[in-house]
C-alpha cells in the first residue's frame, strides 16, 4: 500500500493499440491463424475491432462465421490468440512499433509519484502483456490496477474495474476527476464518459482530433508528446 506522502492523486488509464503501439497488420495475421486453429474453419470475416473488447470481438467473429459463441468456443479462440502472439513476438517487434513519444511519456509519468499508471484495453490480459513487453513499455504500467478485454465484454465496464483495482492496490480513492482515460477511438471516449471519468483523446489512430471532440472528448492532442502538458496542468 502506498504511504500517504507518496500517494498518487491521478490515475491514468492507457489504451494500447494506436495509442501506445501499432501492430501494423501483425494482429490481423495472428487472428487469421488463430481462428482456424481454434475452430477448424478459416476466418472468412472478422468483426470490427477498433475500441471494442476482445470478448465482444471474438463472440461476433464466431457468429458471423456461422459458429455458436459458447463460453468454450470463446475460450478456445482466446487461448489460440494468446499463443499466436507468444509465437510471433519477433515478427511483432520487427513489423510493429511503439508510437512516437510512448516510451518517453510513460517514463515521465512513472517518475511522478502523483500519477499511477495502468491499462484500460480491449486486449486480452496476456496479449496486452506481450504487446507491451515486446516494445519495452510494460514496466511503466501496473497490470494489477488494470482492466482488460477478458474482464468484461462492455468497454465502459472496464473503467470501474480498473478504478476498483487501482484503489485496492494503492489504498487511494480515485474520484471521477482523478481518473483520466487516454485513448484514440470514439469508443474510448464513450467508455470514459459512461464511467464519469475524464478523457484525453489522442489522434494517433484513425480518428482526428475533431472526430474525438465530436465523440465527447473535452481534451485532445495530436501526438503523445503533447500529453504531459495536459495531464500535469490538471494534477
Amino acid at each position: 500500500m502506498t504511504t500517504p506522502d507518496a500517494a498518487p492523486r491521478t490515475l491514468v488509464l492507457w489504451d494500447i493499440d494506436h495509442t501506445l503501439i501499432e501492430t501494423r497488420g501483425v494482429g490481423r495475421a495472428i487472428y487469421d491463424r488463430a481462428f482456424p486453429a481454434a475452430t477448424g474453419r478459416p476466418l472468412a470475416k472478422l468483426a470490427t475491432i477498433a475500441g471494442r473488447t476482445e470478448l465482444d470481438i471474438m463472440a461476433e467473429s464466431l457468429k458471423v462465421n456461422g459458429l455458436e459463441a459458447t463460453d468454450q468456443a470463446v475460450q478456445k479462440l482466446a487461448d489460440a490468440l494468446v499463443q499466436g502472439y507468444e509465437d510471433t513476438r519477433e515478427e511483432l517487434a520487427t513489423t510493429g512499433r511503439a508510437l512516437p513519444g510512448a516510451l518517453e511519456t510513460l517514463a515521465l509519468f512513472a517518475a511522478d509519484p502523483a500519477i499511477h499508471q495502468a491499462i484500460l484495453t480491449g486486449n486480452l490480459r496476456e496479449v496486452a502483456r506481450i504487446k507491451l513487453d515486446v516494445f519495452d513499455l510494460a514496466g511503466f504500467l501496473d497490470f494489477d490496477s488494470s482492466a482488460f478485454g477478458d474482464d468484461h465484454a462492455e468497454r465502459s465496464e472496464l473503467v470501474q474495474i480498473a478504478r476498483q483495482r487501482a484503489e485496492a492496490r494503492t489504498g487511494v480513492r480515485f474520484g471521477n476527476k482523478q481518473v483520466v482515460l487516454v485513448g484514440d477511438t470514439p469508443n474510448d471516449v464513450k467508455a470514459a464518459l459512461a464511467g464519469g471519468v475524464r478523457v484525453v483523446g489522442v489522434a494517433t489512430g484513425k480518428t482526428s482530433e475533431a472526430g474525438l471532440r465530436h465523440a465527447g472528448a473535452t481534451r485532445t492532442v495530436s501526438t503523445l508528446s503533447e500529453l504531459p502538458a495536459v495531464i500535469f496542468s490538471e494534477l
Side-chain angles (χ1 to χ4, degrees):
M1 185 172 294
T2 306
T3 61
D5 289 342
R9 300 193 302 274
T10 297
L11 172 63
V12 177
L13 299 173
W14 286 93
D15 174 51
I16 295 178
D17 293 296
H18 302 288
T19 298
L20 289 172
I21 73 160
E22 291 177 338
T23 66
R24 290 177 162 178
V26 176
R28 174 57 197 256
I30 291 172
Y31 236 108
D32 286 336
R33 295 192 288 265
F35 194 86
T39 68
R41 296 191 191 182
L43 179 63
K45 185 178 181 181
L46 179 63
T48 302
I49 291 176
R52 299 174 69 184
T53 66
E54 204 68 69
L55 283 178
D56 197 21
I57 294 165
M58 290 188 296
E60 185 178 329
S61 293
L62 287 164
K63 290 173 185 176
V64 298
N65 284 278
L67 297 166
E68 188 177 355
T70 63
D71 289 346
Q72 182 180 17
V74 169
Q75 188 59 55
K76 284 185 69 174
L77 182 51
D79 292 343
L81 285 170
V82 172
Q83 190 61 53
Y85 274 95
E86 192 62 59
D87 294 341
T88 318
R89 279 176 175 260
E90 186 174 340
E91 181 184 354
L92 181 59
T94 55
T95 303
R97 65 167 184 160
L99 283 167
L103 180 63
E104 295 82 358
T105 302
L106 288 172
L108 185 64
F109 288 172
D112 192 322
I115 297 175
H116 188 75
Q117 295 188 102
I119 305 154
L120 193 147
T121 178
N123 284 285
L124 302 171
R125 176 186 287 264
E126 290 309 310
V127 169
R129 190 182 301 278
I130 292 166
K131 286 181 175 181
L132 293 168
D133 184 53
V134 162
F135 297 109
D136 298 321
L137 304 179
F140 299 108
L141 298 153
D142 182 12
F143 277 72
D144 291 331
S145 296
S146 301
F148 303 92
D150 41 0
D151 285 320
H152 202 285
E154 295 296 328
R155 196 177 188 93
S156 59
E157 294 294 328
L158 300 184
V159 175
Q160 300 311 326
I161 292 171
R163 189 211 308 253
Q164 290 165 8
R165 288 174 176 171
E167 289 178 346
R169 285 278 287 170
T170 64
V172 174
R173 187 185 184 286
F174 294 102
N176 286 357
K177 292 183 178 180
Q178 295 171 286
V179 181
V180 184
L181 192 157
V182 181
D184 68 289
T185 71
N187 280 346
D188 292 313
V189 175
K190 291 174 185 176
L193 296 178
V197 303
R198 293 189 289 146
V199 57
V200 179
V202 290
T204 46
K206 295 181 180 180
T207 306
S208 66
E209 286 191 75
L212 293 166
R213 286 193 293 269
H214 181 73
T218 54
R219 302 298 298 268
T220 63
V221 294
S222 60
T223 66
L224 290 176
S225 62
E226 299 170 32
L227 185 64
V230 174
I231 299 298
F232 287 135
S233 70
E234 298 183 2
L235 282 177

